[in-house]
Amino acid sequence: MQSLPCKAIFLVATTLLVLLQIPFISATGINYGLNGDHLPAPPAVVDLYDRCNIPSIRLFEPRPEVLQALRGKPLQVILGTRNEDIQSLATTLDAANSWVFANIVPYRSDVNFTYITVGNEAIPGAMSQYIAQAIANMYTALADAAITYIKVSTVVPGSSLSISYPPSAGAFTNEAATALSSIASILLNHGASLMLNVYPYFAYAADTDSISLDYALLRPGAPSSSDQNLVYDNIFDAMVDAFYAALEKINQPGLTVVVSESGWPSAGNEPITSPENAQTYNRNLLNHVQEGRGTPRRPGQPLDVYFFAMFNEDLKQAGIEQHWGFFYPNMQPVYSFWQCS
């Protein structure tokens, strides 16, 4: 008997969920970066995801050796474009067609792509003016290849907000608002979500006098704050809701979001960084999203979260940037977290 390809299994399962009216739960995954020496070969990495029951993976750019390793695996895959490719993807449809033909079409039958992200933290920035058209071109290229199940989005950082506190005052910078107004309409038309990078670590490290560590680490019983009759017991929810408020201010209240990066470094800025704090933050965030209670501004709305990152990467800037991983390059855990076979 011939086995179904991964994407077919995923689509059948999704259809059953809808027909049976079983509620969707939040998905979780981990970003897989490659800025390190002596990282495991991609097949070993994919096997580690599988052994640790990590259901989703985010890739920052196409790497044939990684895509090859994903063949026949059930992992849900977010695949990014390089920021330096955004302008060409926007300028000519041929560039988008070539990208899809090179990086999606050869793997379409046995790699479970869910999203393509056009750019990572390119808003605000010189490439922001091109992203909406690049997304539109990518959708056209996918349609030309008869691929309708992959969504396209972009990833925005906290710096796209000019105001983030209190959450209800959340607002985009003028540059980000201009870019995202066009992008949001395309995403809504295709049922796609906006991707956000949300890092309570940076908010806490910048203002330890005003923010409690318990509030930043999502510890139960942390001092709460209120904003327009909404109660916040952790800074993660407050940061996500600042984005929701900013989307409302550009008349896009219906756009959903996915947290494409969040995490806590295990070293590099002691005592704020430690394996214990990284473990606590990530564990509490995982529990929080798996509860499915959403945020105060969007109660009950599931929120997909991709943790950063799979490995410590020693080719990054010295300090905290080298210490976000769940695993060392030898695949030993930095701290106990995933239950791996």
Side-chain angles (χ1 to χ4, degrees):
M1 179 178 177
Q2 186 177 9
S3 61
L4 285 171
C6 291
K7 74 176 192 317
I9 295 171
F10 174 73
L11 291 172
V12 169
T14 302
T15 302
L16 286 172
L17 286 172
V18 173
L19 292 175
L20 297 174
Q21 296 185 320
I22 298 172
F24 288 90
I25 60 173
S26 299
T28 55
I30 304 181
N31 290 264
Y32 172 27
L34 290 153
N35 293 320
D37 280 324
H38 310 299
L39 291 176
V45 174
V46 172
D47 180 65
L48 184 60
Y49 273 79
D50 185 48
R51 290 191 291 107
C52 297
N53 297 308
I54 300 162
S56 304
I57 185 171
R58 178 180 171 223
L59 308 174
F60 292 91
E61 62 179 301
R63 295 284 189 97
E65 66 274 20
V66 178
L67 296 175
Q68 185 68 29
L70 287 164
R71 286 186 184 276
K73 304 297 184 181
L75 279 168
Q76 298 181 46
V77 180
I78 296 177
L79 179 61
T81 71
R82 300 183 306 164
N83 284 1
E84 52 265 40
D85 293 336
I86 294 171
Q87 185 173 354
S88 65
L89 292 169
T91 303
T92 69
L93 184 56
D94 284 347
N97 282 325
S98 296
W99 195 96
V100 169
F101 185 79
N103 302 305
I104 300 295
V105 171
Y107 310 97
R108 62 188 295 176
S109 65
D110 52 5
V111 174
N112 185 17
F113 296 110
T114 57
Y115 266 92
I116 295 167
T117 55
V118 177
N120 181 52
E121 298 191 337
I123 303 172
M127 291 296 107
S128 63
Q129 62 183 309
Y130 301 107
I131 292 176
Q133 187 59 53
I135 291 174
N137 284 352
M138 198 69 84
Y139 270 119
T140 300
L142 289 168
D144 288 347
I147 298 171
T148 59
Y149 57 91
I150 299 175
K151 300 184 186 301
V152 188
S153 186
T154 191
V155 177
V156 298
S159 59
S160 63
L161 297 174
S162 61
I163 303 171
S164 59
Y165 184 83
S168 62
F172 292 115
T173 66
N174 290 336
E175 181 185 350
T178 298
L180 287 167
S181 293
S182 300
I183 291 166
S185 297
I186 299 171
L187 300 187
L188 280 169
N189 286 341
H190 290 275
S193 299
L194 180 66
M195 304 262 178
L196 316 175
N197 289 349
V198 179
Y199 283 104
Y201 164 78
F202 289 113
Y204 174 72
D207 193 6
T208 56
D209 291 336
S210 301
I211 302 171
S212 78
L213 182 60
D214 288 347
Y215 189 69
L217 294 177
L218 288 82
R219 279 184 174 138
S224 60
S225 62
S226 60
D227 175 31
Q228 293 188 344
N229 297 319
L230 299 177
V231 177
Y232 291 88
D233 57 13
N234 67 80
I235 196 172
F236 174 85
D237 282 351
M239 295 175 77
V240 173
D241 275 358
F243 277 102
Y244 280 130
L247 288 169
E248 292 165 11
K249 290 180 177 64
I250 62 170
N251 300 313
Q252 300 291 352
L255 187 61
T256 57
V257 302
V258 167
V259 175
S260 42
E261 292 180 28
S262 194
W264 197 282
S266 60
N269 185 22
E270 291 74 9
I272 298 171
T273 58
S274 66
E276 293 75 20
N277 283 350
Q279 179 189 53
T280 297
Y281 174 80
N282 288 325
R283 174 62 62 196
N284 288 341
L285 178 57
L286 180 62
N287 291 339
H288 181 58
V289 298
Q290 288 183 336
E291 288 170 358
R293 59 186 178 124
T295 66
R297 202 169 191 89
R298 296 290 188 274
Q301 182 166 302
L303 185 63
D304 296 351
V305 170
Y306 286 74
F307 291 95
F308 189 84
M310 193 65 170
F311 297 103
N312 283 348
E313 298 172 68
D314 63 354
L315 295 182
K316 289 189 170 184
Q317 180 180 348
I320 63 165
E321 292 301 322
Q322 297 184 356
H323 298 283
W324 293 87
F326 285 103
F327 297 93
Y328 294 108
N330 64 3
M331 297 196 293
Q332 292 302 304
V334 177
Y335 47 86
S336 177
F337 195 88
W338 303 101
Q339 301 301 312
C340 306
S341 60

